[in-house]
């Protein structure tokens, strides 16, 4: 069947949020060309019946940005599933952790998260997600309580459970993302405590991880800090190098900050709660 193919360029800091907004509005797939560029190219497929311009306007409003320029083409009877699958091979994260789509065989003797692109943007391919996943692999020893704030697809929460966390809470302001995370956790045979933030139970965590965007991380500093147990760790990702100082300033009063982890212009900030 034919499809609407949309191509647009965005600032790197907006890619995940804009991709999520389009996926929740019926996009069948979202993928990146040139992900390391300052303005990566986002490739989006919509059913031919979709009112694409209206959906783009809604996504821009949700992200708080002007409507970006985009190119709309008709994709004739292409095997878009095959094309999409080709862009998502198994992805190794660190020493043990792999992100593996369902159409690939899982590596032996690995910690495997099964995740397909489609209903949420987080697939492990973006540097900010890889940084957060490596943090979890490095810091989890087993038995911890973990909070994934802004869980999206659930990739970080599922990885934490697979790496031995005793309890994993995952929350997102988008109810559709919570539903997607629930489906992905079931596909991985792990149990997550899923909710929207207003329904998140009280409690402290050994590890809090938030892979969102710089400005929300600044706004949420007090809330996230209060969720970390004394001696516990926080990991903040989705931050461009130019934004790192401002984000760190919002947390440094409560945390002893570790050296920054960087990849392709993105930063992960880590701190230990005083």
């Amino acid at each position: 069947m034919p499809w609407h193919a949309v191509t647009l360029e965005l600032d790197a800091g907006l890619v995940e949020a804009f991709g999520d907004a389009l996926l929740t509005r019926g996009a069948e797939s979202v993928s990146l060309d040139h992900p390391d560029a300052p303005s990566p190219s986002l490739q989006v497929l919509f059913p031919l019946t979709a009112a694409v311009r209206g959906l783009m306007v809604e996504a821009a409003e949700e992200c708080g940005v002007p409507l970006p320029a985009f190119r709309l083409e008709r994709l004739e009877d292409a095997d878009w599933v095959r094309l999409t699958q080709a862009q998502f091979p198994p992805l190794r994260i660190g020493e043990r952790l792999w992100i593996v789509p369902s159409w690939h065989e899982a590596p032996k003797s690995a910690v495997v998260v099964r995740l397909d692109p489609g209903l949420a943007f987080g697939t492990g391919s973006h540097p900010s997600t890889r940084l957060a996943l490596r943090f979890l692999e490095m810091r989890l020893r087993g038995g911890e309580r973990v909070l994934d704030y802004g869980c999206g697809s659930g990739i970080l929460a599922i990885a934490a459970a697979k790496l031995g966390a005793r309890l994993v809470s995952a929350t997102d302001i988008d109810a559709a993302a919570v539903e997607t995370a629930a489906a992905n956790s079931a596909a991985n045979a792990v149990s997550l405590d899923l909710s929207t933030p207003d329904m998140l139970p009280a409690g402290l965590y050994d590890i809090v991880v938030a892979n969102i965007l710089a400005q929300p991380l600044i706004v949420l500093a007090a809330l996230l800090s209060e969720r970390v147990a004394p001696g516990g760790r926080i990991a903040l990702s989705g931050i461009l190098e130019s934004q790192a100082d401002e984000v760190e300033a919002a947390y440094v009063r409560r945390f002893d900050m570790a050296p920054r982890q960087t990849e392709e212009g993105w930063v992960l900030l880590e701190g230990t709660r005083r």
Side-chain angles (χ1 to χ4, degrees):
M1 62 180 282
W3 303 87
H4 283 312
V6 180
T7 303
L8 64 153
E9 291 187 358
L10 294 166
D11 290 343
L14 287 171
V15 165
E16 291 209 33
F18 211 94
D20 279 341
L22 293 176
L23 285 164
T24 58
R25 286 168 172 80
E28 293 289 344
S29 87
V30 174
S31 58
L32 277 178
D33 283 348
H34 311 297
D36 302 337
S39 298
S41 180
L42 202 62
Q43 310 292 325
V44 189
L45 288 178
F46 281 102
L48 206 60
T49 55
V52 172
R53 181 175 177 79
L55 297 174
M56 295 287 291
V57 169
E58 290 178 8
E61 289 176 350
E62 179 179 323
C63 295
V65 296
L67 177 65
F70 64 93
R71 185 173 73 253
L72 178 62
E73 301 173 291
R74 181 185 172 105
L75 186 63
E76 294 290 347
D77 198 25
D79 185 1
W80 69 268
V81 174
R82 176 181 57 79
L83 294 173
T84 299
Q85 289 179 353
Q87 296 178 45
F88 292 95
L91 178 65
R92 184 174 184 175
I93 306 289
E95 295 297 320
R96 299 177 290 149
L97 185 62
W98 286 74
I99 311 302
V100 184
S102 60
W103 53 84
H104 286 286
E105 184 176 351
K108 294 182 173 62
S109 303
V111 177
V112 174
V113 174
R114 287 287 192 182
L115 195 69
D116 295 344
L119 293 180
F121 194 70
T123 61
S125 59
H126 194 271
S128 65
T129 310
R130 294 198 298 269
L131 285 165
L133 288 166
R134 290 194 192 104
F135 163 84
L136 290 171
E137 185 189 72
M138 182 170 54
R139 296 304 184 196
L140 281 168
R141 296 292 180 264
E144 295 92 347
R145 292 169 51 90
V146 176
L147 171 62
D148 177 8
Y149 199 98
C151 64
S153 67
I155 184 171
L156 300 181
I158 294 166
K162 293 258 185 170
L163 289 164
R166 172 172 60 88
L167 179 145
V168 182
S169 298
T171 186
D172 200 290
I173 60 173
D174 185 348
V178 174
E179 292 178 4
T180 299
N184 287 332
S185 64
N188 282 273
V190 299
S191 176
L192 306 179
D193 289 342
L194 286 154
S195 69
T196 52
D198 58 309
M199 299 300 292
L200 184 66
L204 298 178
Y205 295 87
D206 304 299
I207 290 177
V208 171
V209 59
N211 178 28
I212 40 180
L213 295 171
Q215 193 58 40
L217 289 173
I218 293 169
V219 172
L220 292 167
L223 185 152
L224 294 178
S225 299
E226 290 168 1
R227 287 291 189 164
V228 184
R233 298 179 187 271
I234 195 167
L236 309 168
S237 193
I239 307 164
L240 293 169
E241 285 186 292
S242 61
Q243 302 166 329
D245 287 344
E246 186 179 4
V247 177
E248 185 172 275
Y251 289 84
V252 71
R253 289 179 299 168
R254 303 176 181 92
F255 292 89
D256 295 320
M257 304 303 292
R260 297 172 182 179
Q261 303 297 314
T262 62
E263 182 175 344
E264 299 174 10
W266 294 85
V267 174
L268 180 138
L269 298 176
E270 176 187 351
T272 302
R273 187 74 157 96
R274 296 192 190 97

